[in-house]
Amino acid sequence: MGDSTEIRPFRIAIPQADLDDLRERLRRTRWPDQLPAADADWSRGVPSAYLKDLATYWAEGFDWRKQEAELNELPQFVTTIDGHDIHFLHVRSPEPSALPLLLTHGWPSSPVEFLHVIGPLTDPRAHGGDPDDAFHLVIPSLPGYGFSTPVREPGWGNLFRVAQAWAELMRRLGYARYGVQGTDVGAGVAGMLAMIDAERVAGVHLTGTTAAMPFGPPVDLEGLSEADRSRGERFNTYQADGLGYLHLQATRPQTLAYALNDSPAGQLAWIVEKFHEWTDPATDLPDDAVDRDQLLTNVSIFWFTGAGASSAHATYEGMQAWREMAAQQAEGAGTDDEAHAGVQSGPPTGVAVFAADTTIRSLLDPGDTMHWSEFDRGGHFPAMEAPDLLIGDVRSFFGRLR
């Protein structure tokens, strides 16, 4: 690739001037005139009363320096792959027989999503578990997200390119065999890794998958089981009423970028709305589903790194790549690589479905060989919402593949 293979230590050090600027911008937010109906519920977006309260806490109560110090207790690194700096956590287990496991987050997220699972997965002995279930964890920031910023050239929204970079990262770390876990966008990367690095990937565990591409037809509910019908109804509602963010990011990311990069309240609302819509339906507010400080740590990283803009461009490029692939397949001209990018190709695949998910087994899994788990709590961010369930399912799936 022409890059140095050097792996460089990384430490988060947000300048105080950036922190002061964030707080001043939040205090000077130009709030819109309030239409009473807009504050009654979430049907028109994030209610202003909720967002004002959360923004006030972000400016006055949230302790970024404490979160930064805790993140810096984890071993972090940067390496240059295909011309781009990739940031990642690399937390080795004390157990010599631990299986390397690559965890990939989705949108709108970062490696912060996985903080609650790192200890139990790397050191189960210290958390009341079986040391034979231990993993060495590699947790990269997707290009354009977190500290894998800034992005200097187009093309990193193509998940095939990201998967190639992840395969190279695991080679540089010396892992001849490893497992993969991904959620949302990370699930797409994980599926492609299973195809391009099949000889080294022991298995793939997915969360945050969808029943079909959002721009495809609605799910036909006829003949579905009760559980799948419920998920299909949620998917169809999402497709009809919840795709505004995706249309904007997939078509006009630069126009959106100005607002996300200039207004922390705007960036906060953009992310918090998704945490409200995609987390456990039994919870009323985003910070009922996930820890408020963990949520704001994730939002803060988006703000400090400008990842709101660059992740929107990644969505745009990813959708362009998907449309091109879909057109080729429709014409019968898809490459073998593209045709085998589904979850059933290559190494064994496992899927965990949580309470807020829209994944339908009969549409995702045409066979009976897939490891499948369904849970009655949690949602799109299981490592934050229900880490115990995710940890247990990851251990169960990979326990058979060691």
Side-chain angles (χ1 to χ4, degrees):
M1 290 186 181
D3 299 318
S4 167
T5 59
E6 178 187 12
I7 295 174
R8 312 182 296 277
F10 180 86
R11 185 174 180 82
I12 303 170
I14 301 301
Q16 186 60 40
D18 290 357
L19 192 55
D20 293 342
D21 175 68
L22 167 62
R23 290 169 175 160
E24 181 62 21
R25 286 173 182 261
L26 287 168
R27 293 186 183 109
R28 297 182 65 249
T29 298
R30 186 170 178 254
W31 298 103
D33 290 337
Q34 189 52 50
L35 182 68
D39 220 34
D41 56 32
W42 290 71
S43 61
R44 298 188 184 214
V46 185
S48 66
Y50 175 75
L51 196 69
K52 286 178 180 178
D53 176 71
L54 193 58
T56 298
Y57 178 74
W58 193 13
E60 300 176 5
F62 175 70
D63 188 345
W64 165 256
R65 290 303 183 201
K66 176 184 176 183
Q67 303 302 320
E68 183 182 70
E70 291 179 358
L71 290 172
N72 281 331
E73 292 177 1
L74 298 169
Q76 301 176 65
F77 304 89
V78 171
T79 191
T80 304
I81 301 176
D82 196 12
H84 184 63
D85 284 347
I86 301 297
H87 164 263
F88 62 99
L89 310 181
H90 186 200
V91 187
R92 291 187 59 84
S93 171
E95 305 296 339
S97 62
L99 176 70
L101 180 62
L102 177 66
L103 302 177
T104 305
H105 65 87
W107 182 89
S109 195
S110 69
V112 166
E113 178 173 349
F114 297 109
L115 292 181
H116 293 320
V117 306
I118 291 175
L121 288 179
T122 57
D123 194 1
R125 188 192 302 269
H127 292 80
D130 186 341
D132 289 340
D133 289 332
F135 297 90
H136 302 305
L137 295 183
V138 179
I139 313 176
S141 298
L142 286 165
Y145 294 70
F147 296 99
S148 292
T149 49
V151 178
R152 303 297 188 189
E153 64 176 19
W156 279 106
N158 187 324
L159 301 189
F160 188 82
R161 184 179 184 184
V162 176
Q164 290 177 312
W166 276 198
E168 171 63 16
L169 173 61
M170 297 305 277
R171 274 191 289 272
R172 290 186 187 183
L173 294 174
Y175 291 133
R177 182 173 181 268
Y178 61 96
V180 180
Q181 201 285 329
T183 186
D184 187 73
V185 176
V189 176
M192 291 186 179
L193 260 172
M195 177 258 296
I196 68 170
D197 206 18
E199 292 184 359
R200 295 195 300 149
V201 173
V204 178
H205 185 273
L206 306 176
T207 59
T209 58
T210 57
M213 283 303 297
F215 298 134
V219 172
D220 183 358
L221 304 179
E222 187 69 28
L224 295 180
S225 68
E226 182 178 351
D228 278 350
R229 174 179 287 272
S230 177
R231 295 187 190 103
E233 289 172 347
R234 283 199 301 273
F235 177 82
N236 290 345
T237 298
Y238 158 72
Q239 189 183 57
D241 192 47
L243 286 180
Y245 81 98
L246 189 56
H247 281 292
L248 280 173
Q249 294 195 156
T251 59
R252 297 295 185 271
Q254 185 59 24
T255 303
L256 175 64
Y258 300 115
L260 297 181
N261 212 57
D262 190 60
S263 170
Q267 176 69 90
L268 179 64
W270 195 246
I271 291 178
V272 161
E273 182 189 72
K274 297 306 137 196
F275 273 79
H276 174 262
E277 293 185 355
W278 296 348
T279 50
D280 194 324
T283 60
D284 293 327
L285 298 173
D287 41 334
D288 292 335
V290 304
D291 178 78
R292 175 178 272 206
D293 282 350
Q294 188 181 15
L295 173 61
L296 287 176
T297 299
N298 183 60
V299 176
S300 296
I301 290 173
F302 267 81
W303 174 257
F304 290 133
T305 64
S310 54
S311 65
H313 280 282
T315 302
Y316 173 87
E317 293 174 359
M319 289 305 301
Q320 294 292 316
W322 174 77
R323 286 171 175 143
E324 181 179 349
M325 182 184 74
Q328 290 175 342
Q329 289 180 334
E331 296 172 0
T335 66
D336 289 342
D337 284 349
E338 291 163 345
H340 291 86
V343 297
Q344 279 291 286
S345 63
T349 300
V351 175
V353 179
F354 296 84
D357 284 340
T358 59
T359 305
I360 296 175
R361 182 171 189 174
S362 60
L363 299 182
L364 184 67
D365 177 18
D368 297 317
T369 58
M370 184 183 292
H371 169 97
W372 189 272
S373 300
E374 297 181 12
F375 301 103
D376 61 2
R377 59 186 172 92
H380 194 71
F381 308 93
M384 300 174 76
E385 300 179 67
D388 58 323
L389 299 182
L390 180 62
I391 290 165
D393 204 62
V394 166
R395 287 173 174 170
S396 174
F397 173 65
F398 285 105
R400 297 177 297 169
L401 305 178
R402 291 176 182 269

